[in-house]
Protein backbone atom coordinates (compact mmCIF):
# COMPACT_ATOMS: atom_id res chain seq x y z
CA UNK A 1 0.00 0.00 0.00
CA UNK A 2 1.45 3.35 -1.02
CA UNK A 3 0.68 7.04 -0.86
CA UNK A 4 -2.62 8.58 0.11
CA UNK A 5 -4.22 8.80 -3.31
CA UNK A 6 -7.12 10.87 -2.05
CA UNK A 7 -9.27 11.74 0.91
CA UNK A 8 -13.03 11.51 0.45
CA UNK A 9 -15.21 14.16 2.05
CA UNK A 10 -18.98 13.68 2.36
CA UNK A 11 -20.95 16.84 1.62
CA UNK A 12 -24.64 17.67 1.45
CA UNK A 13 -24.55 20.03 -1.52
CA UNK A 14 -21.94 19.22 -4.15
CA UNK A 15 -22.20 22.56 -5.97
CA UNK A 16 -21.79 24.65 -2.83
CA UNK A 17 -18.96 22.44 -1.59
CA UNK A 18 -17.18 22.64 -4.95
CA UNK A 19 -17.22 26.44 -4.81
CA UNK A 20 -16.06 26.41 -1.20
CA UNK A 21 -13.15 24.04 -1.82
CA UNK A 22 -12.15 25.91 -4.98
CA UNK A 23 -11.78 28.98 -2.75
CA UNK A 24 -9.94 27.02 -0.07
CA UNK A 25 -7.43 25.57 -2.55
CA UNK A 26 -7.42 28.57 -4.92
CA UNK A 27 -7.86 26.06 -7.74
CA UNK A 28 -10.72 24.63 -9.74
CA UNK A 29 -11.78 20.99 -9.64
CA UNK A 30 -10.36 18.91 -12.49
CA UNK A 31 -13.16 16.39 -12.70
CA UNK A 32 -16.83 15.93 -11.95
CA UNK A 33 -18.25 12.46 -12.21
CA UNK A 34 -21.45 10.63 -11.29
CA UNK A 35 -21.03 7.07 -10.08
CA UNK A 36 -24.43 5.55 -10.86
CA UNK A 37 -23.79 2.28 -9.02
CA UNK A 38 -23.17 4.17 -5.75
CA UNK A 39 -25.70 6.95 -6.39
CA UNK A 40 -23.04 9.60 -5.73
CA UNK A 41 -21.78 12.71 -7.42
CA UNK A 42 -18.05 13.23 -7.10
CA UNK A 43 -15.78 16.21 -7.66
CA UNK A 44 -11.98 15.94 -7.61
CA UNK A 45 -9.32 18.48 -6.74
CA UNK A 46 -5.63 17.82 -7.30
CA UNK A 47 -3.41 18.94 -4.43
CA UNK A 48 0.17 18.05 -5.25
CA UNK A 49 0.46 14.27 -5.24
CA UNK A 50 -2.88 13.72 -3.55
CA UNK A 51 -6.47 14.53 -4.33
CA UNK A 52 -9.56 15.55 -2.49
CA UNK A 53 -12.77 13.81 -3.54
CA UNK A 54 -16.03 15.51 -2.62
CA UNK A 55 -18.94 13.07 -2.44
CA UNK A 56 -22.64 13.87 -2.34
CA UNK A 57 -25.60 11.48 -2.36
CA UNK A 58 -27.87 11.40 -5.40
CA UNK A 59 -30.62 9.65 -3.49
CA UNK A 60 -31.49 8.57 0.05
CA UNK A 61 -30.32 4.99 -0.40
CA UNK A 62 -26.77 6.11 -1.16
CA UNK A 63 -24.14 5.19 1.43
CA UNK A 64 -23.19 8.88 1.53
CA UNK A 65 -26.76 9.85 2.55
CA UNK A 66 -26.63 7.30 5.36
CA UNK A 67 -23.20 8.50 6.45
CA UNK A 68 -24.31 12.15 6.62
CA UNK A 69 -27.49 11.19 8.52
CA UNK A 70 -25.40 9.38 11.10
CA UNK A 71 -22.27 11.50 11.36
CA UNK A 72 -22.85 14.71 9.46
CA UNK A 73 -20.61 16.11 6.76
CA UNK A 74 -16.89 15.46 6.95
CA UNK A 75 -14.09 13.05 6.17
CA UNK A 76 -15.62 9.88 4.78
CA UNK A 77 -12.65 7.75 3.71
CA UNK A 78 -8.93 7.67 3.04
CA UNK A 79 -7.84 6.05 -0.22
CA UNK A 80 -4.44 4.42 -0.65
CA UNK A 81 -2.90 3.65 -4.02
CA UNK A 82 -1.99 0.03 -4.71
CA UNK A 83 -0.28 -1.77 -7.60
CA UNK A 84 -2.25 -5.00 -7.48
CA UNK A 85 -5.61 -4.43 -5.86
CA UNK A 86 -6.70 -8.09 -6.06
CA UNK A 87 -3.56 -9.26 -4.28
CA UNK A 88 -3.76 -6.53 -1.63
CA UNK A 89 -7.45 -7.24 -0.97
CA UNK A 90 -6.66 -10.93 -0.41
CA UNK A 91 -3.75 -10.05 1.87
CA UNK A 92 -5.88 -7.75 4.02
CA UNK A 93 -8.80 -10.19 4.18
CA UNK A 94 -6.26 -12.76 5.33
CA UNK A 95 -5.15 -10.37 8.07
CA UNK A 96 -8.75 -10.20 9.28
CA UNK A 97 -9.81 -6.82 7.96
CA UNK A 98 -13.53 -6.68 7.23
CA UNK A 99 -14.29 -6.26 3.54
CA UNK A 100 -17.34 -4.24 2.52
CA UNK A 101 -17.87 -5.88 -0.87
CA UNK A 102 -16.89 -9.11 -2.61
CA UNK A 103 -14.50 -7.84 -5.26
CA UNK A 104 -12.92 -4.61 -6.52
CA UNK A 105 -15.19 -2.61 -8.80
CA UNK A 106 -14.97 0.43 -11.00
CA UNK A 107 -15.19 3.65 -8.99
CA UNK A 108 -14.77 7.29 -9.90
CA UNK A 109 -11.70 8.78 -11.60
CA UNK A 110 -10.84 5.70 -13.70
CA UNK A 111 -10.02 3.52 -10.69
CA UNK A 112 -10.71 0.06 -9.44
CA UNK A 113 -11.73 0.48 -5.82
CA UNK A 114 -12.31 -1.67 -2.76
CA UNK A 115 -13.32 -0.70 0.77
CA UNK A 116 -12.59 -2.06 4.23
CA UNK A 117 -15.08 -1.47 7.02
CA UNK A 118 -14.20 1.19 9.61
CA UNK A 119 -15.08 -1.32 12.36
CA UNK A 120 -11.89 -3.17 11.51
CA UNK A 121 -9.67 -0.10 11.04
CA UNK A 122 -10.18 2.04 14.16
CA UNK A 123 -13.07 3.98 12.70
CA UNK A 124 -11.52 4.87 9.35
CA UNK A 125 -13.14 3.71 6.12
CA UNK A 126 -10.14 2.57 4.06
CA UNK A 127 -10.27 2.52 0.27
CA UNK A 128 -7.73 0.76 -1.91
CA UNK A 129 -7.55 2.11 -5.43
CA UNK A 130 -5.71 1.22 -8.57
CA UNK A 131 -5.59 3.15 -11.81
CA UNK A 132 -7.31 1.27 -14.64
CA UNK A 133 -4.73 0.91 -17.41
ZN1 LIG B 1 -12.56 7.55 -2.83
Amino acid sequence: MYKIEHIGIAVKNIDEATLLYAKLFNRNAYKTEIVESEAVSTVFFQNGESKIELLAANNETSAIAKFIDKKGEGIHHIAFAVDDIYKEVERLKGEGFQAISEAPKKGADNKLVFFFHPKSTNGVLVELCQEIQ
Side-chain angles (χ1 to χ4, degrees):
M1 211 181 289
Y2 303 114
K3 69 173 184 184
I4 293 176
E5 212 280 335
H6 64 270
I7 292 177
I9 299 176
V11 303
K12 285 183 183 165
N13 183 311
I14 196 81
D15 295 328
E16 287 176 12
T18 300
L19 290 173
L20 186 87
Y21 278 83
K23 262 188 238 170
L24 181 71
F25 300 141
N26 197 24
R27 181 180 302 121
N28 287 322
Y30 72 89
K31 187 185 271 191
T32 297
E33 192 177 339
I34 291 169
V35 183
E36 300 282 359
S37 61
E38 303 295 322
V40 295
S41 293
T42 66
V43 170
F44 286 87
F45 290 90
Q46 184 81 47
N47 290 55
E49 279 218 324
S50 302
K51 299 162 187 163
I52 294 293
E53 173 185 28
L54 303 179
L55 302 130
N58 289 343
N59 65 43
E60 277 158 29
T61 65
S62 166
I64 296 300
K66 289 172 194 160
F67 177 88
I68 289 176
D69 276 351
K70 237 168 111 181
K71 299 192 168 175
E73 294 182 294
I75 293 179
H76 177 260
H77 64 270
I78 300 180
F80 296 93
V82 294
D83 276 344
D84 184 340
I85 194 165
Y86 294 96
K87 197 172 152 191
E88 196 65 359
V89 163
E90 286 316 305
R91 184 182 75 80
L92 293 174
K93 282 181 179 173
E95 294 284 2
F97 291 99
Q98 192 183 328
I100 286 185
S101 55
E102 283 299 309
K105 59 184 172 186
K106 195 177 180 309
D109 203 27
N110 195 43
K111 299 277 194 305
L112 278 175
V113 300
F114 193 89
F115 290 90
F116 284 95
H117 201 286
K119 272 181 196 158
S120 62
T121 48
N122 298 83
V124 177
L125 176 60
V126 170
E127 174 185 336
L128 306 186
C129 64
Q130 181 179 357
E131 191 84 29
I132 297 170
Q133 300 298 325

